Amino acid sequence: PTWVLAVLQPDYYQLFLGNFWTPPLRYLGRVPSVFAGTDIVQWLMKNLSIEDPVEAIHMGSLIAAQGYIFPISDHVLTLKDDGTFYRFQAPYFWPSNCWEPENTDYAIYLCKRTMQNKARLELADYEAENLARLQRAFARKWEFIFMQAEAQVKIDRKKDKTERKILDSQERAFWDVHRPVPGCVNTTEMDIRKCRRMKNPQKVKKSVYGVTEDSQSQSPVHMPSQPIRKTTKEDFRKKITFLNVQIDRHCLKMSKVAESLITYSDQYVEYDPFITPAEPSNPWISDDATLWDIEMSKEPSQQRVKRWGFSIDEVLKDPVGRDLFLRFLESEFSSENLRFWLAVQDLKRQPLQDVATRVEEIWQEFLAPGAQSPINLDSHSYERTSQNVQDPGRYTFEDAQEHIYKLMKSDSYARFLRSNTYQDLLLAKKKPPSSKRRTGKGWRVPSCR
């Protein structure tokens, strides 16, 4: 079909950009080099003989998903039939150029975004998480990545403001294709069945995102590509050492894996509404919302109390169980551990402008010398956290939080399950309701009739 050529063939797409389409001039005075979603829908219907607007929107969304057009104010690459502004992607970033960007390129891009000091370029939550994950993965060469990002920022600042604004949006759209927002379709993923049919399938390495190991494409941050180096004996020795380590890795037998899976399934079978019908009724099927009211109430059901005994995660994600666990820790004079863990969880959801202030508050309350509620950390975690506080971020206390989590899981949680607080509540929920009724003259057992 015609739209397939428009998406996949650069020559045809060049005609689409140059000869058949001109962005409306009414947008250029306010926002440069943009057009509205309604304009491209009308263009598709007129030039491709499409009668149904829904089909034109679908076709335009397929083109946007490949990254040839993109919205300037949204990370979701779809086409909307309204006044949303769109731009054409620069030919340099076209997917038809067989891009295979590396994680180091993505790390440089995210570092550049953090250096812009502009509200419109602040990282989204998923990008901040990706940056923290990449920083841990490339800890040894992070200084090199940071220097490259600084160099790119200096180059960009020398450009015209309008040109820089357009280039920033095009580069952002490129990464929206190759590192999409969670929940969006990744159009750059390679089908495993196609890889098996290839004569020389491309080797991939285990990394944060699972991208290719030997990418010979040019860097999307306009850095000159490095010359290809010939394989040496040292490279083969490193590969042999790596394979020997993989061979010696501890592997579980399939019978053990199946046994663990069966145990897990048996444990959670009564919490699966597809297997065990919900009581009193499933609100997704019926109009009765009683089940949701019970789950939201502060009086937990027997199922909820029983589930707290599965793992500490079940306790922490249930508000009632979390409050009960906190009261138990207060009785043992160790509630500062859970309060610190909750404060760090809340820090990850704070707006970027409030992060530095909140980091200082947590530090002063739990970790600073003379803190009001000091927590017990090992020297390594404390040293790492002290360094991170100098450059505060949402993940400043990640090492300390992980240490406290393991401490609660191995020590406090086990005592909580054996405590009278939990056992009394569990037994109280297991007792059936009494069938006796109180009358004016005393207790009376109801008649069997």
Side-chain angles (χ1 to χ4, degrees), residues 296-333:
M296 292 298 293
S297 66
K298 294 184 179 180
E299 290 294 332
S301 61
Q302 194 268 338
Q303 274 191 330
R304 286 174 65 183
V305 176
K306 180 182 177 182
R307 189 165 182 168
W308 297 345
F310 293 170
S311 68
I312 189 173
D313 294 324
E314 298 290 347
V315 177
L316 295 178
K317 71 181 182 181
D318 191 317
V320 180
R322 190 167 57 242
D323 293 340
L324 188 68
F325 187 41
L326 180 60
R327 290 199 297 270
F328 168 75
L329 294 179
E330 288 175 351
S331 66
E332 292 197 337
F333 304 100

mmCIF file of all heavy atoms in Angstrom, residues 296-333:
data_model
loop_
_atom_site.group_PDB
_atom_site.id
_atom_site.type_symbol
_atom_site.label_atom_id
_atom_site.label_comp_id
_atom_site.label_asym_id
_atom_site.label_seq_id
_atom_site.Cartn_x
_atom_site.Cartn_y
_atom_site.Cartn_z
ATOM 1 N N MET A 296 -10.585 -1.320 50.934
ATOM 2 C CA MET A 296 -10.177 0.033 51.312
ATOM 3 C C MET A 296 -10.400 0.324 52.790
ATOM 4 O O MET A 296 -9.930 1.336 53.307
ATOM 5 C CB MET A 296 -10.950 1.064 50.481
ATOM 6 C CG MET A 296 -10.599 1.064 48.999
ATOM 7 S SD MET A 296 -8.868 1.490 48.703
ATOM 8 C CE MET A 296 -8.869 3.200 49.241
ATOM 9 N N SER A 297 -11.113 -0.538 53.477
ATOM 10 C CA SER A 297 -11.429 -0.296 54.877
ATOM 11 C C SER A 297 -10.198 -0.527 55.744
ATOM 12 O O SER A 297 -9.237 -1.186 55.343
ATOM 13 C CB SER A 297 -12.564 -1.211 55.336
ATOM 14 O OG SER A 297 -12.142 -2.566 55.318
ATOM 15 N N LYS A 298 -10.238 0.022 56.950
ATOM 16 C CA LYS A 298 -9.140 -0.143 57.890
ATOM 17 C C LYS A 298 -9.277 -1.415 58.710
ATOM 18 O O LYS A 298 -8.422 -1.703 59.558
ATOM 19 C CB LYS A 298 -9.067 1.064 58.817
ATOM 20 C CG LYS A 298 -8.701 2.361 58.110
ATOM 21 C CD LYS A 298 -8.545 3.513 59.089
ATOM 22 C CE LYS A 298 -8.146 4.794 58.361
ATOM 23 N NZ LYS A 298 -7.977 5.931 59.299
ATOM 24 N N GLU A 299 -10.350 -2.176 58.493
ATOM 25 C CA GLU A 299 -10.532 -3.465 59.146
ATOM 26 C C GLU A 299 -10.195 -4.545 58.134
ATOM 27 O O GLU A 299 -11.017 -4.912 57.292
ATOM 28 C CB GLU A 299 -11.972 -3.614 59.638
ATOM 29 C CG GLU A 299 -12.332 -2.715 60.800
ATOM 30 C CD GLU A 299 -11.555 -3.089 62.058
ATOM 31 O OE1 GLU A 299 -11.191 -4.280 62.191
ATOM 32 O OE2 GLU A 299 -11.295 -2.190 62.877
ATOM 33 N N PRO A 300 -8.978 -5.076 58.147
ATOM 34 C CA PRO A 300 -8.563 -6.023 57.106
ATOM 35 C C PRO A 300 -9.291 -7.349 57.230
ATOM 36 O O PRO A 300 -9.621 -7.803 58.329
ATOM 37 C CB PRO A 300 -7.061 -6.186 57.361
ATOM 38 C CG PRO A 300 -6.897 -5.913 58.815
ATOM 39 C CD PRO A 300 -7.919 -4.857 59.144
ATOM 40 N N SER A 301 -9.515 -7.955 56.077
ATOM 41 C CA SER A 301 -10.147 -9.268 56.065
ATOM 42 C C SER A 301 -9.117 -10.341 56.407
ATOM 43 O O SER A 301 -7.914 -10.084 56.502
ATOM 44 C CB SER A 301 -10.737 -9.547 54.675
ATOM 45 O OG SER A 301 -9.720 -9.543 53.693
ATOM 46 N N GLN A 302 -9.616 -11.563 56.589
ATOM 47 C CA GLN A 302 -8.725 -12.667 56.942
ATOM 48 C C GLN A 302 -7.729 -12.944 55.811
ATOM 49 O O GLN A 302 -6.573 -13.297 56.062
ATOM 50 C CB GLN A 302 -9.555 -13.922 57.255
ATOM 51 C CG GLN A 302 -8.787 -15.035 57.941
ATOM 52 C CD GLN A 302 -8.183 -16.038 56.969
ATOM 53 O OE1 GLN A 302 -8.648 -16.150 55.832
ATOM 54 N NE2 GLN A 302 -7.174 -16.757 57.398
ATOM 55 N N GLN A 303 -8.182 -12.768 54.563
ATOM 56 C CA GLN A 303 -7.283 -12.973 53.431
ATOM 57 C C GLN A 303 -6.128 -11.989 53.445
ATOM 58 O O GLN A 303 -4.983 -12.366 53.200
ATOM 59 C CB GLN A 303 -8.062 -12.847 52.118
ATOM 60 C CG GLN A 303 -8.733 -14.136 51.668
ATOM 61 C CD GLN A 303 -9.248 -14.015 50.252
ATOM 62 O OE1 GLN A 303 -9.611 -12.947 49.795
ATOM 63 N NE2 GLN A 303 -9.293 -15.116 49.540
ATOM 64 N N ARG A 304 -6.434 -10.716 53.726
ATOM 65 C CA ARG A 304 -5.374 -9.710 53.750
ATOM 66 C C ARG A 304 -4.375 -9.982 54.867
ATOM 67 O O ARG A 304 -3.153 -9.873 54.666
ATOM 68 C CB ARG A 304 -5.979 -8.320 53.908
ATOM 69 C CG ARG A 304 -6.652 -7.787 52.679
ATOM 70 C CD ARG A 304 -7.360 -6.473 52.954
ATOM 71 N NE ARG A 304 -6.451 -5.407 53.313
ATOM 72 C CZ ARG A 304 -6.841 -4.185 53.657
ATOM 73 N NH1 ARG A 304 -8.134 -3.896 53.696
ATOM 74 N NH2 ARG A 304 -5.955 -3.265 53.969
ATOM 75 N N VAL A 305 -4.861 -10.325 56.046
ATOM 76 C CA VAL A 305 -3.963 -10.597 57.172
ATOM 77 C C VAL A 305 -3.084 -11.808 56.876
ATOM 78 O O VAL A 305 -1.877 -11.810 57.167
ATOM 79 C CB VAL A 305 -4.778 -10.813 58.460
ATOM 80 C CG1 VAL A 305 -3.866 -11.190 59.621
ATOM 81 C CG2 VAL A 305 -5.563 -9.553 58.802
ATOM 82 N N LYS A 306 -3.665 -12.823 56.273
ATOM 83 C CA LYS A 306 -2.895 -14.019 55.924
ATOM 84 C C LYS A 306 -1.829 -13.703 54.878
ATOM 85 O O LYS A 306 -0.718 -14.237 54.925
ATOM 86 C CB LYS A 306 -3.848 -15.094 55.401
ATOM 87 C CG LYS A 306 -3.152 -16.385 55.010
ATOM 88 C CD LYS A 306 -4.156 -17.393 54.464
ATOM 89 C CE LYS A 306 -3.454 -18.661 53.992
ATOM 90 N NZ LYS A 306 -4.417 -19.630 53.415
ATOM 91 N N ARG A 307 -2.139 -12.789 53.967
ATOM 92 C CA ARG A 307 -1.195 -12.455 52.897
ATOM 93 C C ARG A 307 0.027 -11.713 53.426
ATOM 94 O O ARG A 307 1.098 -11.770 52.826
ATOM 95 C CB ARG A 307 -1.916 -11.608 51.850
ATOM 96 C CG ARG A 307 -1.121 -11.377 50.574
ATOM 97 C CD ARG A 307 -2.010 -10.858 49.489
ATOM 98 N NE ARG A 307 -1.299 -10.664 48.242
ATOM 99 C CZ ARG A 307 -1.873 -10.424 47.066
ATOM 100 N NH1 ARG A 307 -3.195 -10.355 46.990
ATOM 101 N NH2 ARG A 307 -1.157 -10.264 45.970
ATOM 102 N N TRP A 308 -0.100 -11.024 54.542
ATOM 103 C CA TRP A 308 1.051 -10.335 55.115
ATOM 104 C C TRP A 308 2.167 -11.306 55.492
ATOM 105 O O TRP A 308 3.324 -10.924 55.566
ATOM 106 C CB TRP A 308 0.632 -9.553 56.364
ATOM 107 C CG TRP A 308 -0.358 -8.471 56.087
ATOM 108 C CD1 TRP A 308 -0.683 -7.950 54.871
ATOM 109 C CD2 TRP A 308 -1.177 -7.792 57.043
ATOM 110 N NE1 TRP A 308 -1.659 -6.993 55.003
ATOM 111 C CE2 TRP A 308 -1.975 -6.862 56.329
ATOM 112 C CE3 TRP A 308 -1.311 -7.860 58.418
ATOM 113 C CZ2 TRP A 308 -2.892 -6.036 56.952
ATOM 114 C CZ3 TRP A 308 -2.213 -7.028 59.055
ATOM 115 C CH2 TRP A 308 -2.999 -6.127 58.329
ATOM 116 N N GLY A 309 1.804 -12.551 55.741
ATOM 117 C CA GLY A 309 2.807 -13.537 56.120
ATOM 118 C C GLY A 309 3.583 -14.105 54.948
ATOM 119 O O GLY A 309 4.520 -14.881 55.154
ATOM 120 N N PHE A 310 3.226 -13.741 53.713
ATOM 121 C CA PHE A 310 3.934 -14.276 52.554
ATOM 122 C C PHE A 310 5.318 -13.646 52.404
ATOM 123 O O PHE A 310 6.299 -14.326 52.143
ATOM 124 C CB PHE A 310 3.130 -14.044 51.282
ATOM 125 C CG PHE A 310 1.843 -14.826 51.225
ATOM 126 C CD1 PHE A 310 0.904 -14.584 50.243
ATOM 127 C CD2 PHE A 310 1.567 -15.813 52.164
ATOM 128 C CE1 PHE A 310 -0.283 -15.301 50.178
ATOM 129 C CE2 PHE A 310 0.394 -16.541 52.114
ATOM 130 C CZ PHE A 310 -0.537 -16.286 51.125
ATOM 131 N N SER A 311 5.399 -12.329 52.533
ATOM 132 C CA SER A 311 6.676 -11.620 52.388
ATOM 133 C C SER A 311 6.531 -10.228 52.976
ATOM 134 O O SER A 311 5.411 -9.737 53.190
ATOM 135 C CB SER A 311 7.098 -11.533 50.913
ATOM 136 O OG SER A 311 6.216 -10.687 50.193
ATOM 137 N N ILE A 312 7.656 -9.584 53.206
ATOM 138 C CA ILE A 312 7.627 -8.233 53.753
ATOM 139 C C ILE A 312 7.061 -7.238 52.745
ATOM 140 O O ILE A 312 6.489 -6.211 53.113
ATOM 141 C CB ILE A 312 9.045 -7.805 54.205
ATOM 142 C CG1 ILE A 312 8.975 -6.482 54.975
ATOM 143 C CG2 ILE A 312 9.982 -7.698 53.022
ATOM 144 C CD1 ILE A 312 10.291 -6.069 55.589
ATOM 145 N N ASP A 313 7.176 -7.555 51.451
ATOM 146 C CA ASP A 313 6.615 -6.672 50.428
ATOM 147 C C ASP A 313 5.103 -6.590 50.542
ATOM 148 O O ASP A 313 4.508 -5.533 50.294
ATOM 149 C CB ASP A 313 7.005 -7.164 49.031
ATOM 150 C CG ASP A 313 8.505 -7.069 48.797
ATOM 151 O OD1 ASP A 313 9.118 -6.106 49.299
ATOM 152 O OD2 ASP A 313 9.060 -7.947 48.122
ATOM 153 N N GLU A 314 4.452 -7.716 50.903
ATOM 154 C CA GLU A 314 3.004 -7.714 51.072
ATOM 155 C C GLU A 314 2.595 -6.812 52.236
ATOM 156 O O GLU A 314 1.541 -6.175 52.189
ATOM 157 C CB GLU A 314 2.492 -9.139 51.293
ATOM 158 C CG GLU A 314 2.749 -10.099 50.143
ATOM 159 C CD GLU A 314 1.901 -9.763 48.932
ATOM 160 O OE1 GLU A 314 0.957 -8.961 49.058
ATOM 161 O OE2 GLU A 314 2.192 -10.296 47.850
ATOM 162 N N VAL A 315 3.420 -6.759 53.268
ATOM 163 C CA VAL A 315 3.120 -5.891 54.413
ATOM 164 C C VAL A 315 3.293 -4.426 54.033
ATOM 165 O O VAL A 315 2.460 -3.570 54.360
ATOM 166 C CB VAL A 315 4.023 -6.246 55.609
ATOM 167 C CG1 VAL A 315 3.770 -5.301 56.776
ATOM 168 C CG2 VAL A 315 3.792 -7.683 56.041
ATOM 169 N N LEU A 316 4.383 -4.128 53.319
ATOM 170 C CA LEU A 316 4.708 -2.733 53.023
ATOM 171 C C LEU A 316 3.746 -2.105 52.021
ATOM 172 O O LEU A 316 3.518 -0.893 52.060
ATOM 173 C CB LEU A 316 6.144 -2.642 52.497
ATOM 174 C CG LEU A 316 7.236 -3.028 53.498
ATOM 175 C CD1 LEU A 316 8.608 -2.949 52.844
ATOM 176 C CD2 LEU A 316 7.187 -2.138 54.727
ATOM 177 N N LYS A 317 3.172 -2.894 51.117
ATOM 178 C CA LYS A 317 2.287 -2.305 50.120
ATOM 179 C C LYS A 317 0.835 -2.220 50.587
ATOM 180 O O LYS A 317 0.015 -1.607 49.900
ATOM 181 C CB LYS A 317 2.370 -3.088 48.808
ATOM 182 C CG LYS A 317 1.736 -4.465 48.834
ATOM 183 C CD LYS A 317 1.914 -5.150 47.494
ATOM 184 C CE LYS A 317 1.251 -6.517 47.452
ATOM 185 N NZ LYS A 317 1.448 -7.176 46.144
ATOM 186 N N ASP A 318 0.522 -2.826 51.740
ATOM 187 C CA ASP A 318 -0.815 -2.727 52.316
ATOM 188 C C ASP A 318 -0.801 -1.628 53.381
ATOM 189 O O ASP A 318 -0.047 -1.727 54.357
ATOM 190 C CB ASP A 318 -1.219 -4.064 52.946
ATOM 191 C CG ASP A 318 -2.694 -4.091 53.324
ATOM 192 O OD1 ASP A 318 -3.177 -3.076 53.867
ATOM 193 O OD2 ASP A 318 -3.359 -5.116 53.095
ATOM 194 N N PRO A 319 -1.593 -0.570 53.241
ATOM 195 C CA PRO A 319 -1.540 0.533 54.229
ATOM 196 C C PRO A 319 -1.814 0.067 55.654
ATOM 197 O O PRO A 319 -1.150 0.522 56.597
ATOM 198 C CB PRO A 319 -2.622 1.497 53.727
ATOM 199 C CG PRO A 319 -2.790 1.185 52.275
ATOM 200 C CD PRO A 319 -2.534 -0.283 52.138
ATOM 201 N N VAL A 320 -2.788 -0.827 55.836
ATOM 202 C CA VAL A 320 -3.107 -1.296 57.189
ATOM 203 C C VAL A 320 -1.966 -2.141 57.741
ATOM 204 O O VAL A 320 -1.555 -1.989 58.901
ATOM 205 C CB VAL A 320 -4.424 -2.096 57.179
ATOM 206 C CG1 VAL A 320 -4.762 -2.585 58.580
ATOM 207 C CG2 VAL A 320 -5.560 -1.242 56.627
ATOM 208 N N GLY A 321 -1.437 -3.038 56.916
ATOM 209 C CA GLY A 321 -0.309 -3.855 57.367
ATOM 210 C C GLY A 321 0.919 -3.018 57.661
ATOM 211 O O GLY A 321 1.665 -3.305 58.613
ATOM 212 N N ARG A 322 1.137 -1.980 56.864
ATOM 213 C CA ARG A 322 2.289 -1.099 57.089
ATOM 214 C C ARG A 322 2.160 -0.356 58.418
ATOM 215 O O ARG A 322 3.142 -0.227 59.167
ATOM 216 C CB ARG A 322 2.404 -0.115 55.928
ATOM 217 C CG ARG A 322 3.678 0.679 55.930
ATOM 218 C CD ARG A 322 3.876 1.388 54.613
ATOM 219 N NE ARG A 322 2.746 2.255 54.282
ATOM 220 C CZ ARG A 322 1.973 2.113 53.218
ATOM 221 N NH1 ARG A 322 2.193 1.119 52.371
ATOM 222 N NH2 ARG A 322 0.980 2.952 52.972
ATOM 223 N N ASP A 323 0.940 0.123 58.734
ATOM 224 C CA ASP A 323 0.730 0.812 60.006
ATOM 225 C C ASP A 323 0.911 -0.142 61.193
ATOM 226 O O ASP A 323 1.488 0.232 62.219
ATOM 227 C CB ASP A 323 -0.667 1.426 60.040
ATOM 228 C CG ASP A 323 -0.820 2.553 59.029
ATOM 229 O OD1 ASP A 323 0.216 3.094 58.586
ATOM 230 O OD2 ASP A 323 -1.970 2.888 58.671
ATOM 231 N N LEU A 324 0.424 -1.372 61.033
ATOM 232 C CA LEU A 324 0.575 -2.351 62.111
ATOM 233 C C LEU A 324 2.043 -2.704 62.311
ATOM 234 O O LEU A 324 2.520 -2.834 63.456
ATOM 235 C CB LEU A 324 -0.235 -3.609 61.777
ATOM 236 C CG LEU A 324 -0.339 -4.661 62.884
ATOM 237 C CD1 LEU A 324 -1.166 -4.122 64.043
ATOM 238 C CD2 LEU A 324 -0.969 -5.951 62.345
ATOM 239 N N PHE A 325 2.785 -2.843 61.214
ATOM 240 C CA PHE A 325 4.215 -3.141 61.295
ATOM 241 C C PHE A 325 4.974 -1.988 61.951
ATOM 242 O O PHE A 325 5.900 -2.193 62.729
ATOM 243 C CB PHE A 325 4.742 -3.410 59.889
ATOM 244 C CG PHE A 325 6.168 -3.899 59.848
ATOM 245 C CD1 PHE A 325 6.634 -4.827 60.764
ATOM 246 C CD2 PHE A 325 7.041 -3.433 58.878
ATOM 247 C CE1 PHE A 325 7.947 -5.281 60.723
ATOM 248 C CE2 PHE A 325 8.349 -3.879 58.828
ATOM 249 C CZ PHE A 325 8.802 -4.806 59.754
ATOM 250 N N LEU A 326 4.546 -0.745 61.659
ATOM 251 C CA LEU A 326 5.183 0.422 62.261
ATOM 252 C C LEU A 326 4.945 0.457 63.774
ATOM 253 O O LEU A 326 5.871 0.756 64.549
ATOM 254 C CB LEU A 326 4.656 1.701 61.605
ATOM 255 C CG LEU A 326 5.225 3.026 62.128
ATOM 256 C CD1 LEU A 326 6.735 3.077 61.929
ATOM 257 C CD2 LEU A 326 4.558 4.199 61.438
ATOM 258 N N ARG A 327 3.721 0.146 64.200
ATOM 259 C CA ARG A 327 3.437 0.120 65.640
ATOM 260 C C ARG A 327 4.249 -0.978 66.342
ATOM 261 O O ARG A 327 4.697 -0.795 67.484
ATOM 262 C CB ARG A 327 1.940 -0.093 65.876
ATOM 263 C CG ARG A 327 1.085 1.102 65.487
ATOM 264 C CD ARG A 327 -0.287 1.027 66.154
ATOM 265 N NE ARG A 327 -1.037 -0.133 65.717
ATOM 266 C CZ ARG A 327 -1.851 -0.150 64.666
ATOM 267 N NH1 ARG A 327 -2.006 0.955 63.934
ATOM 268 N NH2 ARG A 327 -2.503 -1.236 64.342
ATOM 269 N N PHE A 328 4.437 -2.102 65.656
ATOM 270 C CA PHE A 328 5.261 -3.167 66.243
ATOM 271 C C PHE A 328 6.710 -2.702 66.390
ATOM 272 O O PHE A 328 7.349 -2.960 67.426
ATOM 273 C CB PHE A 328 5.191 -4.421 65.363
ATOM 274 C CG PHE A 328 6.205 -5.466 65.709
ATOM 275 C CD1 PHE A 328 6.052 -6.266 66.835
ATOM 276 C CD2 PHE A 328 7.332 -5.640 64.916
ATOM 277 C CE1 PHE A 328 7.006 -7.218 67.159
ATOM 278 C CE2 PHE A 328 8.281 -6.601 65.237
ATOM 279 C CZ PHE A 328 8.120 -7.388 66.364
ATOM 280 N N LEU A 329 7.243 -2.029 65.370
ATOM 281 C CA LEU A 329 8.614 -1.538 65.455
ATOM 282 C C LEU A 329 8.755 -0.473 66.540
ATOM 283 O O LEU A 329 9.808 -0.374 67.189
ATOM 284 C CB LEU A 329 9.047 -0.969 64.099
ATOM 285 C CG LEU A 329 9.165 -1.968 62.952
ATOM 286 C CD1 LEU A 329 9.573 -1.269 61.669
ATOM 287 C CD2 LEU A 329 10.165 -3.071 63.290
ATOM 288 N N GLU A 330 7.703 0.332 66.744
ATOM 289 C CA GLU A 330 7.748 1.318 67.817
ATOM 290 C C GLU A 330 7.846 0.646 69.180
ATOM 291 O O GLU A 330 8.531 1.147 70.085
ATOM 292 C CB GLU A 330 6.509 2.207 67.755
ATOM 293 C CG GLU A 330 6.512 3.183 66.586
ATOM 294 C CD GLU A 330 5.209 3.961 66.487
ATOM 295 O OE1 GLU A 330 4.260 3.596 67.229
ATOM 296 O OE2 GLU A 330 5.146 4.905 65.687
ATOM 297 N N SER A 331 7.177 -0.491 69.327
ATOM 298 C CA SER A 331 7.269 -1.219 70.593
ATOM 299 C C SER A 331 8.657 -1.788 70.812
ATOM 300 O O SER A 331 9.060 -2.047 71.950
ATOM 301 C CB SER A 331 6.234 -2.353 70.628
ATOM 302 O OG SER A 331 6.538 -3.347 69.645
ATOM 303 N N GLU A 332 9.425 -1.999 69.725
ATOM 304 C CA GLU A 332 10.789 -2.494 69.828
ATOM 305 C C GLU A 332 11.820 -1.378 69.718
ATOM 306 O O GLU A 332 13.016 -1.644 69.613
ATOM 307 C CB GLU A 332 11.049 -3.539 68.736
ATOM 308 C CG GLU A 332 10.273 -4.833 68.911
ATOM 309 C CD GLU A 332 10.858 -5.953 68.066
ATOM 310 O OE1 GLU A 332 11.535 -5.645 67.061
ATOM 311 O OE2 GLU A 332 10.653 -7.124 68.427
ATOM 312 N N PHE A 333 11.359 -0.132 69.665
ATOM 313 C CA PHE A 333 12.242 1.033 69.570
ATOM 314 C C PHE A 333 13.124 0.992 68.319
ATOM 315 O O PHE A 333 14.302 1.332 68.348
ATOM 316 C CB PHE A 333 13.124 1.145 70.823
ATOM 317 C CG PHE A 333 12.352 1.194 72.097
ATOM 318 C CD1 PHE A 333 12.206 0.055 72.881
ATOM 319 C CD2 PHE A 333 11.732 2.370 72.498
ATOM 320 C CE1 PHE A 333 11.475 0.097 74.062
ATOM 321 C CE2 PHE A 333 10.993 2.408 73.680
ATOM 322 C CZ PHE A 333 10.861 1.277 74.457
#
